[in-house]
Amino acid sequence: TSVGMSQANLVQSNLQHTSGYSPYALDFDGTNDYIPLNSNINLTGDRTISFWVNLNSTASAFLFASNNNDYYPLITASSVLIKSIAEGATSFSQPSIVTGKWYHYCITGDGTNATLYRDGVTIGTLADKSLIINTIGGTPTGSSDINAKMSNVQIFNTALSGPEVTTLYNYGSPIQ
């Protein structure tokens, strides 16, 4: 059950990919609306988070977070950060983003290294962080809630390979 959201937050997406993608997106307004998860998701070991995002603002925004200030990731106009309160933060520099445009982000991790992909292209590989998430779109405290549309969020319990990420970007599901 979402917090601070209504049926009006479910909007038609203009995402151009058709194979395997939902035609809808959730529209987060950046003001204390988020989706609490029923339980914590421990992001340790092999895993992948994939999502489409269309930012309305380039202000810092949490996409997946927890009550203890872990986040995976926090997107800014020029960087993508993953942070564990226990292990510190990793900051990827990214090419400039444009508001009103859909981007596909995918973060793969194995507990040692995290690789960030944007639109199927590798941005970089840096130190991975083990952390917990329990919200989508912001935090229960209202800190850095996302002002964006999000669609097709997927969490895998395996670290997808580069070709699998490209396939996910192009077609909506990894190579089996």
Side-chain angles (χ1 to χ4, degrees), residues 35-44 47-51 62-74 82-84 129-140 153-156:
I35 299 172
L37 304 177
N38 289 336
S39 61
N40 291 339
I41 296 177
N42 293 311
L43 296 177
T44 59
R47 80 285 193 166
T48 300
I49 289 185
S50 169
F51 56 91
F62 292 118
L63 278 84
F64 307 94
S66 74
N67 297 349
N68 68 352
N69 288 326
D70 284 354
Y71 48 79
Y72 203 95
L74 174 109
I82 56 175
K83 177 186 167 220
S84 161
K129 307 296 178 193
S130 296
L131 50 103
I132 296 170
I133 60 171
N134 57 23
T135 62
I136 298 174
T139 66
V153 172
Q154 300 175 68
I155 300 174
F156 300 87

Side-chain angles (χ1 to χ4, degrees), residues 38-140:
N38 289 336
S39 61
N40 291 339
I41 296 177
N42 293 311
L43 296 177
T44 59
D46 291 347
R47 80 285 193 166
T48 300
I49 289 185
S50 169
F51 56 91
W52 286 87
V53 65
N54 182 330
L55 299 166
N56 296 320
S57 167
T58 57
S60 298
F62 292 118
L63 278 84
F64 307 94
S66 74
N67 297 349
N68 68 352
N69 288 326
D70 284 354
Y71 48 79
Y72 203 95
L74 174 109
I75 294 182
T76 72
S78 61
S79 65
V80 176
L81 294 88
I82 56 175
K83 177 186 167 220
S84 161
I85 197 69
E87 298 176 18
T90 291
S91 178
F92 295 92
S93 293
Q94 71 168 335
S96 295
I97 55 175
V98 176
T99 58
K101 179 181 179 204
W102 283 101
Y103 294 97
H104 177 254
Y105 285 91
C106 194
I107 304 169
T108 64
D110 63 10
T112 302
N113 296 305
T115 301
L116 173 68
Y117 300 85
R118 189 174 93 179
D119 295 340
V121 176
T122 305
I123 299 295
T125 299
L126 297 170
D128 198 5
K129 307 296 178 193
S130 296
L131 50 103
I132 296 170
I133 60 171
N134 57 23
T135 62
I136 298 174
T139 66

